[in-house]
Amino acid sequence: MTIKEIEKEIIEEFEIFGDDWESKYEHIIDMGKSLPLINLNLKTNNRIIKGCQSNVWLNTDLINDKILYTADSDAIITKGMIALMVRVLSNQKAEDIVKADMDFINQIGLKEHLSPTRANGLLSMINEMKKEALKRI
Amino acid sequence: MTIKEIEKEIIEEFEIFGDDWESKYEHIIDMGKSLPLINLNLKTNNRIIKGCQSNVWLNTDLINDKILYTADSDAIITKGMIALMVRVLSNQKAEDIVKADMDFINQIGLKEHLSPTRANGLLSMINEMKKEALKRI
Amino acid sequence: MMDLIKIREQFPILNQKINNCDLIYFDNAATSQKPISVIESISDFYKKSNSNIHRGVHSLSRSASEQFELARKTVANHFNIDNEQQLIFTAGCTDSINIVAQGLAKFHLQKEDEIILSTYEHHSNILPWQLWAKENKGVLKIIPLLANQNLDYDSIEKLITHKTKLIAITHVSNTLGLITDIERIISIAKKHQLPILLDGAQSAPHMPVDLKKLDVDFFVCSAHKLYGPTGVGLLYLSQKWLDKLPVSKSGGGIIKSVSFENTEYADGALRFEPGTPNISGVIGFSNAIKFINNIGITTIFEFEKKLVQHAQKKLREMPEIIMYGESDEKAGVISFNVKNHHPFDIGTLLDNYGIAVRTGHHCTQPLMQDLKIQGTVRISFAIYNTIEEINYFIEKLKKVIKMLQ
Amino acid sequence: MMDLIKIREQFPILNQKINNCDLIYFDNAATSQKPISVIESISDFYKKSNSNIHRGVHSLSRSASEQFELARKTVANHFNIDNEQQLIFTAGCTDSINIVAQGLAKFHLQKEDEIILSTYEHHSNILPWQLWAKENKGVLKIIPLLANQNLDYDSIEKLITHKTKLIAITHVSNTLGLITDIERIISIAKKHQLPILLDGAQSAPHMPVDLKKLDVDFFVCSAHKLYGPTGVGLLYLSQKWLDKLPVSKSGGGIIKSVSFENTEYADGALRFEPGTPNISGVIGFSNAIKFINNIGITTIFEFEKKLVQHAQKKLREMPEIIMYGESDEKAGVISFNVKNHHPFDIGTLLDNYGIAVRTGHHCTQPLMQDLKIQGTVRISFAIYNTIEEINYFIEKLKKVIKMLQ
Ligand SMILES: Cc1ncc(COP(=O)(O)O)c(C=O)c1O
Ligand SMILES: Cc1ncc(COP(=O)(O)O)c(C=O)c1O
């Protein structure tokens, strides 16, 4: 699937929840829990994206022209948000990742997580993923 | 005349002007002009009362148990205000000067000159006059 | 009796809805909300008497100057400072500490000297001293914690050497809410003739502070944490330091005379207030003090103590909660964690119920390192908080924990 | 066309009566009045989104942080700063200059170095350098005046030696209103690779300032002089200095990590903003910038130039008036004296007619010494002043002079 297709899928998934933020967050938490764990020996300092509050570890591989991300975080909501990003961006071509506008985050009603002042820094996470992709073009 | 008597005289003098601040200030300016000048050789640095804006020179003598003030200023309104003070306090006993409440300034409608933040510092002028009197008790 | 409804009515922000819920503001240790009297004193100033202060001959300037100096008196009275010239208005608590640190560096502190801090300190009472220490091979000695997270007062004497030149300590831990036994520290300091800087950022909003009785050398706090505006704080100097502390920041308005070669500084507080001060902020500050005095700072302390006790009791009933620095004598602050859950997750979900808490290290990373944790969830109270809010918070906290499991 | 009536309506204070007269506010160089949009942005902040910024997970904190960072963008745009991180919010112009002076003292300035200032400088751009000079045997070299009270630009090259390390100069003289030929000074500085600090306290309110084009190292100004609130100013750093200038003031909120031994500072503007900033002040500041942009800073400059020209023409017709630094190209300020009369007398009597002027040395005592006078009467304009006000002022000035004779 293309990035846009996956985004569409996610938007539809979240539409069911409507304004019910509790279910929405439960879904994110579930995604966080099922995020395939990053290899423990890859949780090194150079793979940390420092947020103000929670840490994120991101590992990037290039396999058969596709970027593969694995990641982890100590906060479960952050982890759920990364799971969402990984689902959208992993297994895609580097060029496509760099171009992705990630606007679906607005559309699923998690816009507040995109604020540049947000304590967990979803934005810096996305930037880091794109930077790693760019390195591999 | 006692301090209180002179104050009463001044209050009556100013009552004529009513709310006419122009005449009031003209009167003060006239008093400033007729203030007997301090001896030039007495205009020394140790006789200066530094205001933020205008300087005041004050000389104090003790003659026959009475305090005699002479003074000058580079601003004429300040000089008029001193003239008023000299008229009230000069030629009085040191004890009486120290005790004087100077409340007549409020009553003649020049209260704003008494404000501690007033740029020419009538208050510090009065304090200085009292201090000099106190030294001579 | 305090009329809580009447008090709450004075805070317009309490009518805000967050995610369709009533706002429950439990982040008062970061900054308190402002009563309408404070907000309006600021707009009134700008609508009626705005002008620069000092030296102006015109009426507006005189009025603004008088309001400013009256504010100094009001605030000085509240802290029982005899000579209001000992009260300097600064840009905030952090600014005040920096002014002291820079001044002492010029006059009192020698290379390789030592300063005593506590494990509780907020970064604002660490970094100014660390800056000095780095440049001067100075040493920061730290009062450690006991197992119950109180300070180990017995250790202080052992930290003092002939090179010790200052004790800089917080009055209340902003993370734990525990109150320092400042009388004890003062008596140790007096014995060794050490000056004390007391960081009152978290005590001034919650409890009586009598500077005449305490007789410390420096006291600092911020207006914005005690119902006042941002951008203004105070620095109290003992009479000795008012005369002795060198100026480290200079500029217009604080001089008797200036030439390019030399400057004669003004006396008193003015010497430390270069440039145009935060005039509206100072006026807002004094109105915040009036608001506090209308209720009474002791009433505030007693009331908030009840809130803390109630919240601690409720939290204690939850086995998954770890509390830090539990005590019945606190200044409005509780820090806790939920076992196996990150404070960020708790805070984020509580926010969706309209409950504002703070999570993280609260600018006390060394304390976090000591406690071996990343951060905590912190709830902190003010005079407008209620028992009902705490009950609602506990209910939602339980729900949040369930969501995370 | 500018609608002056609509502009005046935005300033509530203009309805004040002084001694039963309409207020005529000609003391704008000391501080300007504030439009209602600025006043209300501050109260709105306190009524709706007050919270401490940075790091908060709750909605209020997020909203306050966003408003704060948006304000940084708005102000940066106005001064044509590409990277808004180069714009640091301080407590005011004086605070900004002190931050630069203290930072340079740690990194750039050596003992016995020299700094070039001009005769125009405000005490706030003298005393921070004098403090450094006193402690380091530094030398302040002064650009002298020509007979027409313009700066003697030809002399600058001669002042420069291998020890010269900085030119710190005002963009506009706050006493005379004369505009510095900053392009010329910049080209001299570039030639000698000297950094420049430009004091924009009196230029920013009155004329366009394009920091990308000017490309100075440091630019400073105060919000309260450009329709904004007290207690907030800006410090612009060129990219080079943003990275290099050492922190001199430290505290909470500006770090990546802290231990008692070491600190890793944050990147960008944050590094220079320790402690809780003047959040409401910054928001008010950005609304003042919006007010200016709604009119257009060039429109403001042209309008005020007409006011200056009109007032100068009228004053020139009065033989007893001595004007200082007369020029048709001014930034809203005129200084004069009345022969044989003290400025204090003039100011006091004008005040009784509701006219607010400033008298004295205007925090430029060295300039006064150079001009061999005690002080001046200064009138200074803003966008809400009118030709009618000037005419009324001239009429009353004549009356005042008569009263004094
Ligand atoms: C030229 C100049 N520089 C600096 C300042 C200092 O500004 P502030 O008092 O706002 O810090 C002023 C204000 O009078 C000024 O006119
Ligand atoms: C104990 C303590 N000290 C100092 C500060 C710094 O105060 P401000 O940020 O207002 O300068 C704080 C504020 O968080 C604090 O809690």
Side-chain angles (χ1 to χ4, degrees):
Chain A
M1 282 205 287
T2 65
I3 290 180
K4 274 289 158 216
E5 280 164 358
I6 303 173
E7 286 185 352
K8 194 158 162 265
E9 195 180 81
I10 294 174
I11 291 169
E12 282 165 9
E13 224 169 278
F14 273 82
E15 257 167 14
I16 304 168
F17 304 128
D19 279 345
D20 177 6
W21 71 266
E22 287 172 340
S23 309
K24 224 181 254 178
Y25 269 96
E26 271 164 4
H27 189 52
I28 292 170
I29 291 164
D30 283 344
M31 282 193 285
K33 285 181 185 156
S34 60
L35 177 70
L37 280 191
I38 192 171
N39 228 318
L40 243 184
N41 61 354
L42 293 177
K43 278 176 92 167
T44 52
N45 268 344
N46 62 331
R47 289 190 181 80
I48 265 188
I49 309 170
K50 269 198 182 155
C52 283
Q53 297 247 351
S54 56
N55 292 319
V56 169
W57 292 264
L58 176 73
N59 183 53
T60 314
D61 286 312
L62 180 68
I63 296 179
N64 299 337
D65 273 2
K66 300 265 176 86
I67 302 285
L68 282 185
Y69 294 111
T70 48
D72 196 4
S73 171
D74 42 9
I76 191 72
I77 294 175
T78 312
K79 207 163 151 181
M81 295 299 297
I82 318 175
L84 215 50
M85 302 306 117
V86 168
R87 186 167 148 198
V88 172
L89 297 180
S90 199
N91 214 10
Q92 300 288 343
K93 292 219 183 86
E95 293 81 359
D96 297 336
I97 293 169
V98 172
K99 280 186 305 196
D101 65 10
M102 307 305 271
D103 188 51
F104 79 101
I105 300 166
N106 283 330
Q107 293 180 50
I108 60 177
L110 292 169
K111 193 176 147 193
E112 76 271 20
H113 284 276
L114 260 193
S115 129
T117 55
R118 184 65 182 179
N120 70 335
L122 184 56
L123 258 190
S124 52
M125 208 149 76
I126 295 174
N127 285 340
E128 193 62 25
M129 292 173 91
K130 291 190 169 201
K131 227 168 70 188
E132 291 294 329
L134 195 62
K135 277 194 214 161
R136 290 168 175 82
I137 288 189
Chain B
M1 280 204 284
T2 66
I3 291 179
K4 275 289 158 216
E5 280 165 359
I6 303 173
E7 287 184 351
K8 197 160 160 259
E9 194 180 82
I10 294 173
I11 292 169
E12 281 165 11
E13 223 169 279
F14 273 81
E15 257 168 13
I16 304 168
F17 303 129
D19 279 345
D20 177 6
W21 71 266
E22 288 171 342
S23 310
K24 228 181 253 177
Y25 269 96
E26 270 162 6
H27 189 52
I28 292 171
I29 291 164
D30 284 344
M31 282 192 284
K33 285 181 185 156
S34 59
L35 178 69
L37 282 190
I38 191 170
N39 228 320
L40 244 183
N41 61 354
L42 292 177
K43 276 176 92 169
T44 52
N45 269 344
N46 63 331
R47 288 191 182 80
I48 263 188
I49 309 168
K50 266 195 183 156
C52 284
Q53 298 245 351
S54 56
N55 293 319
V56 169
W57 293 265
L58 176 72
N59 183 52
T60 313
D61 285 314
L62 180 68
I63 297 180
N64 298 338
D65 271 5
K66 299 265 176 86
I67 302 285
L68 283 184
Y69 295 110
T70 48
D72 197 3
S73 171
D74 42 8
I76 190 72
I77 293 175
T78 313
K79 209 164 149 181
M81 296 298 296
I82 317 176
L84 215 50
M85 302 306 117
V86 168
R87 186 169 148 197
V88 172
L89 298 181
S90 199
N91 214 9
Q92 300 289 344
K93 291 219 183 85
E95 292 81 0
D96 297 335
I97 294 170
V98 173
K99 278 185 304 193
D101 65 11
M102 306 306 269
D103 189 52
F104 79 102
I105 301 166
N106 283 331
Q107 293 180 49
I108 61 178
L110 291 170
K111 192 176 151 193
E112 76 271 20
H113 284 276
L114 260 193
S115 126
T117 57
R118 183 68 180 178
N120 70 336
L122 185 56
L123 258 191
S124 52
M125 209 150 75
I126 295 174
N127 286 339
E128 194 63 24
M129 292 172 89
K130 291 191 169 198
K131 229 168 69 189
E132 291 294 328
L134 196 60
K135 278 194 214 161
R136 290 169 175 82
I137 288 186
Chain C
M1 257 304 292
M2 215 181 72
D3 185 341
L4 198 50
I5 294 176
K6 281 231 173 91
I7 287 175
R8 286 179 64 85
E9 277 171 2
Q10 294 177 52
F11 289 83
I13 204 167
L14 296 179
N15 299 321
Q16 285 297 105
K17 296 277 175 197
I18 305 292
N19 198 21
N20 295 320
C21 305
D22 290 332
L23 166 65
I24 294 187
Y25 188 75
F26 280 172
D27 193 17
N28 292 288
T31 198
S32 73
Q33 298 304 336
K34 324 300 173 201
I36 192 70
S37 61
V38 167
I39 301 173
E40 285 184 350
S41 71
I42 297 168
S43 25
D44 270 9
F45 173 73
Y46 285 129
K47 287 179 186 169
K48 291 179 190 154
S49 36
N50 174 61
S51 173
N52 214 323
I53 58 171
H54 303 318
R55 253 191 299 275
V57 298
H58 59 79
S59 303
L60 282 185
S61 174
R62 205 165 54 236
S63 152
S65 305
E66 270 163 21
Q67 288 178 52
F68 189 87
E69 290 307 326
L70 202 61
R72 199 192 300 277
K73 278 217 177 94
T74 304
V75 180
N77 273 344
H78 175 75
F79 291 104
N80 202 14
I81 302 170
D82 272 341
N83 170 11
E84 78 250 20
Q85 290 300 312
Q86 292 173 256
L87 191 159
I88 292 144
F89 288 117
T90 68
C93 183
T94 303
D95 191 36
S96 303
I97 298 173
N98 277 283
I99 292 169
V100 176
Q102 292 176 353
L104 291 183
K106 288 177 196 246
F107 173 71
H108 177 72
L109 296 170
Q110 311 290 322
K111 273 201 190 310
E112 300 181 20
D113 273 348
E114 299 171 1
I115 294 175
I116 294 178
L117 310 175
S118 88
T119 308
Y120 286 164
E121 298 319 310
H122 186 279
H123 294 166
S124 287
N125 197 27
I126 300 173
L127 300 192
W129 309 113
Q130 199 179 65
L131 266 188
W132 164 81
K134 292 256 167 208
E135 289 170 8
N136 296 279
K137 299 195 176 142
V139 180
L140 305 183
K141 294 215 168 166
I142 313 304
I143 306 172
L145 296 192
L146 297 170
N148 67 359
Q149 283 135 22
N150 276 287
L151 292 181
D152 179 3
Y153 296 99
D154 290 336
S155 74
I156 302 178
E157 290 270 7
K158 283 172 253 163
L159 295 177
I160 296 173
T161 74
H162 66 286
K163 291 197 163 177
T164 309
K165 285 294 178 59
L166 178 75
I167 301 180
I169 190 153
T170 192
H171 204 173
V172 166
S173 158
N174 68 304
T175 298
L176 305 177
L178 291 171
I179 302 167
T180 307
D181 184 351
I182 189 63
E183 279 81 8
R184 184 155 172 198
I185 292 180
I186 289 171
S187 80
I188 298 171
K190 292 250 141 103
K191 189 171 136 200
H192 296 269
Q193 291 181 304
L194 288 175
I196 292 189
L197 177 139
L198 185 58
D199 176 355
Q202 299 292 342
S203 60
H206 302 291
M207 53 194 263
V209 175
D210 182 331
L211 289 175
K212 196 159 153 189
K213 222 157 87 191
L214 286 180
D215 190 24
V216 291
D217 299 79
F218 311 99
F219 177 83
V220 298
C221 70
S222 278
H224 72 90
K225 292 186 199 279
L226 38 71
Y227 310 105
T230 54
V232 58
L234 72 81
L235 164 58
Y236 158 87
L237 297 177
S238 67
Q239 190 63 48
K240 168 183 153 191
W241 289 106
L242 177 62
D243 302 332
K244 277 197 188 168
L245 192 73
V247 161
S248 56
K249 204 154 89 170
S250 193
I254 68 169
I255 54 100
K256 281 180 185 155
S257 70
V258 169
S259 70
F260 281 120
E261 293 73 36
N262 214 347
T263 295
E264 195 189 342
Y265 282 97
D267 304 316
L270 224 55
R271 192 158 69 95
F272 297 99
E273 293 175 353
T276 303
N278 187 350
I279 308 172
S280 70
V282 164
I283 288 166
F285 190 178
S286 78
N287 279 282
I289 293 293
K290 283 182 199 160
F291 168 81
I292 290 174
N293 286 336
N294 280 341
I295 300 171
I297 187 72
T298 312
T299 309
I300 293 177
F301 181 66
E302 292 303 329
F303 173 76
E304 291 176 356
K305 209 161 85 176
K306 284 207 193 93
L307 294 181
V308 167
Q309 287 172 359
H310 181 74
Q312 282 190 153
K313 181 167 149 278
K314 290 284 179 180
L315 287 168
R316 226 176 273 135
E317 289 165 4
M318 297 169 65
E320 61 275 63
I321 298 291
I322 309 161
M323 265 194 285
Y324 303 99
E326 240 178 295
S327 161
D328 278 349
E329 282 289 323
K330 279 203 179 200
V333 177
I334 295 173
S335 253
F336 68 89
N337 266 320
V338 182
K339 267 178 213 152
N340 301 322
H341 293 296
H342 197 285
F344 172 79
D345 292 325
I346 308 288
T348 303
L349 295 175
L350 285 174
D351 179 49
N352 281 292
Y353 293 111
I355 304 168
V357 304
R358 187 130 304 219
T359 62
H361 55 63
H362 319 299
C363 290
T364 55
Q365 285 194 358
L367 175 61
M368 294 297 118
Q369 289 149 19
D370 198 271
L371 298 177
K372 299 195 173 50
I373 51 180
Q374 287 281 325
T376 72
V377 181
R378 181 183 72 181
I379 54 177
S380 53
F381 304 125
I383 189 65
Y384 39 73
N385 290 127
T386 67
I387 296 285
E388 291 72 37
E389 287 180 332
I390 293 172
N391 292 342
Y392 177 84
F393 155 76
I394 293 286
E395 181 196 322
K396 295 307 173 192
L397 177 61
K398 286 178 180 163
K399 199 149 179 199
V400 159
I401 295 171
K402 211 170 272 159
M403 278 177 77
L404 286 168
Q405 256 142 16
Chain D
M1 257 304 292
M2 214 181 73
D3 186 340
L4 197 51
I5 293 175
K6 281 230 174 93
I7 288 174
R8 286 180 63 85
E9 278 170 1
Q10 295 176 53
F11 289 83
I13 204 167
L14 296 179
N15 299 321
Q16 286 296 105
K17 298 275 176 200
I18 304 292
N19 199 20
N20 295 319
C21 304
D22 289 332
L23 167 65
I24 295 188
Y25 187 75
F26 281 173
D27 193 17
N28 292 286
T31 198
S32 73
Q33 297 304 335
K34 325 300 172 199
I36 191 73
S37 61
V38 168
I39 301 173
E40 285 183 350
S41 70
I42 297 168
S43 25
D44 269 11
F45 173 74
Y46 286 129
K47 286 179 187 169
K48 291 180 191 155
S49 37
N50 173 62
S51 173
N52 213 325
I53 59 171
H54 305 318
R55 253 192 297 275
V57 297
H58 60 79
S59 303
L60 282 186
S61 175
R62 204 161 58 236
S63 152
S65 304
E66 270 162 23
Q67 289 177 52
F68 189 86
E69 290 307 326
L70 201 63
R72 199 192 298 279
K73 277 214 176 97
T74 304
V75 180
N77 274 344
H78 175 75
F79 291 104
N80 202 14
I81 302 170
D82 273 341
N83 171 9
E84 79 249 20
Q85 289 299 312
Q86 292 172 258
L87 191 160
I88 291 144
F89 288 117
T90 67
C93 184
T94 302
D95 190 36
S96 303
I97 299 173
N98 278 283
I99 292 170
V100 176
Q102 292 176 352
L104 291 181
K106 287 177 197 248
F107 173 71
H108 177 72
L109 296 170
Q110 311 289 321
K111 273 203 189 309
E112 299 181 21
D113 272 349
E114 298 171 2
I115 294 175
I116 294 178
L117 312 175
S118 88
T119 308
Y120 286 165
E121 299 319 310
H122 186 279
H123 294 165
S124 287
N125 197 27
I126 300 173
L127 300 193
W129 309 114
Q130 199 179 65
L131 264 188
W132 164 81
K134 292 257 166 206
E135 289 171 7
N136 296 280
K137 297 192 179 147
V139 180
L140 306 183
K141 292 211 169 170
I142 312 304
I143 307 173
L145 297 192
L146 297 170
N148 67 0
Q149 282 135 22
N150 276 286
L151 292 181
D152 180 3
Y153 296 99
D154 290 335
S155 74
I156 301 178
E157 291 270 7
K158 283 171 256 163
L159 295 177
I160 296 174
T161 73
H162 66 285
K163 292 199 164 174
T164 309
K165 286 293 176 61
L166 177 76
I167 301 180
I169 191 155
T170 193
H171 204 174
V172 165
S173 157
N174 68 304
T175 299
L176 304 176
L178 290 171
I179 302 168
T180 308
D181 184 353
I182 188 65
E183 280 81 8
R184 183 155 172 200
I185 293 180
I186 289 170
S187 79
I188 298 170
K190 292 251 140 101
K191 191 172 134 199
H192 296 270
Q193 292 182 303
L194 289 175
I196 292 190
L197 177 138
L198 185 59
D199 176 356
Q202 298 293 342
S203 60
H206 301 292
M207 52 192 263
V209 174
D210 182 330
L211 289 176
K212 196 160 155 186
K213 223 157 87 191
L214 286 180
D215 191 24
V216 290
D217 299 78
F218 310 99
F219 178 82
V220 296
C221 70
S222 278
H224 73 90
K225 291 186 199 281
L226 37 72
Y227 309 106
T230 54
V232 58
L234 71 81
L235 164 58
Y236 158 88
L237 296 178
S238 68
Q239 190 63 49
K240 169 183 150 192
W241 289 107
L242 178 62
D243 302 332
K244 276 197 187 168
L245 192 72
V247 160
S248 54
K249 204 155 90 170
S250 193
I254 69 169
I255 53 102
K256 282 180 184 154
S257 69
V258 170
S259 70
F260 280 119
E261 293 73 35
N262 213 349
T263 295
E264 195 187 343
Y265 281 97
D267 302 318
L270 223 55
R271 194 161 67 96
F272 296 99
E273 294 175 353
T276 304
N278 187 348
I279 308 172
S280 71
V282 164
I283 288 166
F285 190 178
S286 79
N287 279 284
I289 293 294
K290 283 182 199 159
F291 168 81
I292 289 174
N293 286 336
N294 280 342
I295 300 171
I297 185 74
T298 311
T299 309
I300 294 176
F301 181 65
E302 292 303 329
F303 173 77
E304 290 175 355
K305 209 160 83 175
K306 283 205 194 95
L307 294 181
V308 167
Q309 286 170 0
H310 181 75
Q312 282 191 152
K313 181 167 150 280
K314 291 283 181 182
L315 287 169
R316 227 176 273 135
E317 289 165 3
M318 297 168 65
E320 62 274 61
I321 297 290
I322 309 161
M323 265 193 286
Y324 303 98
E326 239 179 294
S327 160
D328 277 349
E329 283 288 323
K330 281 202 177 198
V333 177
I334 295 173
S335 254
F336 68 90
N337 266 321
V338 183
K339 267 176 213 154
N340 301 321
H341 293 297
H342 197 283
F344 172 78
D345 291 326
I346 309 288
T348 303
L349 293 176
L350 284 173
D351 178 50
N352 280 291
Y353 292 110
I355 304 168
V357 304
R358 186 131 306 219
T359 62
H361 55 63
H362 318 297
C363 290
T364 56
Q365 285 195 357
L367 175 61
M368 295 297 117
Q369 288 149 19
D370 198 90
L371 298 177
K372 299 195 174 45
I373 51 179
Q374 287 280 326
T376 73
V377 181
R378 182 182 72 181
I379 55 177
S380 53
F381 304 125
I383 189 64
Y384 40 72
N385 291 126
T386 68
I387 297 284
E388 292 71 37
E389 287 180 331
I390 293 172
N391 292 341
Y392 177 83
F393 155 75
I394 294 286
E395 180 195 323
K396 294 308 176 193
L397 177 61
K398 287 178 181 162
K399 199 148 179 198
V400 160
I401 295 171
K402 210 169 275 158
M403 279 177 77
L404 286 168
Q405 260 143 11

